[in-house]
Amino acid sequence: MQKGHDPLSSLLITNARLVNEGQVRDVDVLVEGARIARIGSGVTAPEGVDVIDAAGKYLMPGMIDDQVHFREPGMTHKGDLATESAAAAAGGITSFMDMPNVSPQTTTRQALADKYGIAEGRCTANYGFYFGATNGNIEEVKALQVGEACGIKAFMGASTGDMLVDDPDVLEKLFEHARVMVVTHCEHSPTIWENEAKARAEFGEDVPFAEHPNIRSAAACIASSKLAVDLATRHDALLHILHLTTAIEMDLFSRAHRSEKRITAEVCVHHLWFDESRYEELGSRIKCNPAIKSARDRLALLAALNDGRIDVIATDHAPHTAEEKSASYFKAPAGLPLVQHALLTLFDLVADGQISVELLVDRACHAPADLFGVGQRGYVREGWFADLVLVDPGTPHAVSRSNLLSKCQWSPFEGHEFSATIDTTIINGEVVYRNGRLLGNTAGRRLEFSRAR
Ligand code: DOR
């Protein structure tokens, strides 16, 4: 039994508007222990069972965030597995997959095992970890077994953490030998370095942040994404390209259902939300890699999300301290804290008619479960784990410093009022967040991954 969990506890959720598997319907849901026992109407429960009346609220599977940087081990002044998984749970994210650019980097199977050890008993949400590819660890890649990691991360463009994989022979071998999905950060670094040199010549050290999408350009993105697609196609590997940002890259992806694809695509909430018109106001707060680009690019991402070329919505939650972010262009690190507000941004897009609530649940909950073979999560089904979120679409949530939960204590959304509120988050049957309060339980368990090439 996991710490803090009472196997006999039950919970009845009544009158919920369930969003699941492409449908919206009114149901009651009975949770027993860690699992969903019944879904139906008029579900009754034994006396004394806790009841949550969910009238007027959406019930959905918790979001499975397939890309976060929770900074542990080694960078815990920015965030750690405990603080960031709690912030995630408050945002309706019930499972997360963490990236390997920590210290030490997760680039050996031993470092991966150590990281799982560090996480045990400390996470509010369920966790899985990526293995990191480098130019020098192909033997470790070959030894990596299905289930050990959610996937193999390859920084095919340099970003935070000095993990660039750019040796052509290594890339060939990586796509040839990976037993699990390869997930990539695609930006062509030599193009970026050239653009950086030009910007330095023009502006000196004080490059305006609005130059970021010109430096981390669309040309850099498409060159690298094309290479990844070519490698995966030739080796018949599983490839998931992370945080896509440009209209031009959308032509690389098929509209087929994810069950028929070996090459899939992810978009992150900040790229669906912000565009380059916001650099003047927000500066380094929205500096991230790949860069937030034009309004036209943002609309193209939304179109691709709606027509199936983009399969998954994630966050790329990447906290840095306010002090680190206050530096000038070249020194300010890239990345934004996002997990607490990701679902709320998506519900604003729903309220604005840009995506449907069924599509939201498909891309943020069902799709990551399917693509990574996450065991018995990501859907609301009898017998599956009770990872559930209640969202109140009628109560606004204003973001202010006083209600931020990430360790870095700032947010690009400060001052914004979202149209919806995360009402309740349930993980493995335990209520971990309710009415604006974290309840302090570390209900998260290690995720199981079964997808193999
Ligand atoms: O903006 C980013 N921040 N992009 C990345 O690829 C890495 C991340 C980080 O770890 O800070």
Side-chain angles (χ1 to χ4, degrees):
M1 199 199 345
Q2 302 259 326
K3 191 173 146 234
H5 188 65
D6 171 2
L8 303 174
S9 64
S10 297
L11 174 69
L12 180 63
I13 302 165
T14 58
N15 306 310
R17 204 184 308 160
L18 174 66
V19 189
N20 190 46
E21 311 204 40
Q23 290 182 342
V24 183
R25 60 192 177 111
D26 293 332
V27 297
D28 306 324
V29 172
L30 178 66
V31 173
E32 277 177 359
R35 295 188 182 252
I36 296 163
R38 281 220 46 208
I39 305 165
S41 57
V43 176
T44 54
E47 196 134 322
V49 162
D50 288 340
V51 178
I52 295 179
D53 182 359
K57 290 167 193 146
Y58 286 119
L59 175 67
M60 56 180 278
M63 179 167 170
I64 299 178
D65 190 347
D66 77 4
Q67 191 190 176
V68 303
H69 301 266
F70 282 179
R71 309 300 193 200
E72 194 168 350
M75 302 158 88
T76 53
H77 67 288
K78 297 174 193 272
D80 63 50
L81 289 163
T83 57
E84 306 314 285
S85 70
I93 292 169
T94 55
S95 297
F96 65 91
M97 305 184 203
D98 193 65
M99 286 295 163
N101 57 337
V102 284
S103 180
Q105 295 172 344
T106 321
T107 52
T108 63
R109 292 170 71 213
Q110 185 58 50
L112 182 62
D114 292 346
K115 192 167 165 181
Y116 280 116
I118 293 167
E120 201 175 330
R122 291 182 52 235
C123 296
T124 306
N126 305 308
Y127 51 90
F129 300 137
Y130 287 94
F131 180 87
T134 69
N135 277 332
N137 71 349
I138 198 67
E139 293 308 318
E140 290 271 339
V141 166
K142 285 185 189 169
L144 188 76
Q145 303 299 313
V146 176
E148 255 181 291
C150 31
I152 299 171
K153 170 71 179 283
F155 281 91
M156 290 177 65
S159 191
T160 309
D162 199 14
M163 288 185 69
L164 178 64
V165 186
D166 62 351
D167 180 327
D169 292 339
V170 169
L171 285 169
E172 292 290 339
K173 290 198 177 90
L174 170 64
F175 281 86
E176 184 185 346
H177 293 291
R179 287 191 175 86
V180 295
M181 182 133 70
V182 177
V183 307
T184 55
H185 178 130
C186 284
E187 289 183 293
H188 184 243
S189 290
T191 302
I192 294 168
W193 296 329
E194 205 180 305
N195 293 340
E196 282 180 346
K198 280 189 205 147
R200 224 184 217 110
E202 187 175 349
F203 300 102
E205 285 307 300
D206 225 3
V207 173
F209 284 93
E211 288 299 313
H212 195 49
N214 301 328
I215 293 170
R216 294 240 165 201
S217 63
C221 292
I222 184 73
S224 178
S225 292
K226 260 191 181 155
L227 174 60
V229 167
D230 174 59
L231 284 159
T233 306
R234 282 193 288 103
H235 292 289
D236 197 25
L238 294 174
L239 167 67
H240 187 51
I241 303 191
L242 302 170
H243 45 39
L244 288 148
T245 56
T246 68
I248 191 170
E249 289 167 291
M250 296 302 104
D251 293 338
L252 295 172
F253 303 103
S254 143
R255 288 178 171 77
H257 187 261
R258 57 183 172 268
S259 57
E260 293 161 25
K261 293 194 275 200
R262 294 177 72 74
I263 296 175
T264 50
E266 181 213 81
V267 69
C268 290
V269 288
H270 46 309
H271 296 117
L272 292 173
W273 182 266
F274 297 109
D275 65 43
E276 65 188 358
S277 67
R278 305 295 299 280
Y279 282 109
E280 202 162 319
E281 169 201 349
L282 293 168
S284 72
R285 289 186 160 222
I286 58 166
K287 180 188 176 192
C288 56
N289 300 337
I292 288 161
K293 298 195 173 65
S294 70
R296 189 182 146 264
D297 288 308
R298 189 183 83 87
L299 290 177
L301 297 176
L302 276 164
L305 184 64
N306 276 302
D307 70 23
R309 282 173 292 168
I310 290 187
D311 303 275
V312 169
I313 308 172
T315 68
D316 193 14
H317 175 84
H320 300 281
T321 67
E323 196 190 340
E324 290 163 342
K325 283 296 246 183
S326 70
S328 58
Y329 176 76
F330 288 109
K331 296 208 176 88
L336 289 57
L338 292 156
V339 282
Q340 196 180 343
H341 306 108
L343 264 188
L344 294 183
T345 66
L346 298 176
F347 272 92
D348 265 16
L349 294 179
V350 171
D352 200 33
Q354 302 201 50
I355 57 172
S356 70
V357 73
E358 295 93 334
L359 183 110
L360 183 169
V361 168
D362 187 68
R363 303 293 199 268
C365 313
H366 302 335
D370 291 349
L371 289 187
F372 291 86
V374 178
Q376 304 203 332
R377 302 185 191 274
Y379 292 82
V380 179
R381 290 179 179 159
E382 289 181 1
W384 283 39
F385 287 105
D387 292 345
L388 302 167
V389 182
L390 283 173
V391 178
D392 182 348
T395 299
H397 174 79
V399 181
S400 70
R401 193 146 305 181
S402 63
N403 55 32
L404 296 178
L405 293 166
S406 278
K407 196 184 252 187
C408 68
Q409 286 292 295
W410 65 274
S411 163
F413 301 113
E414 274 169 66
H416 180 71
E417 183 174 272
F418 288 107
S419 61
T421 296
I422 306 299
D423 180 89
T424 304
T425 306
I426 297 164
I427 298 180
N428 295 311
E430 290 192 57
V431 177
V432 299
Y433 178 81
R434 182 147 171 74
N435 295 330
R437 271 195 346 113
L438 277 166
L439 302 182
N441 20 8
T442 49
R445 300 182 185 185
R446 178 171 170 171
L447 292 169
E448 285 171 15
F449 301 102
S450 62
R451 186 131 187 247
R453 73 185 294 163

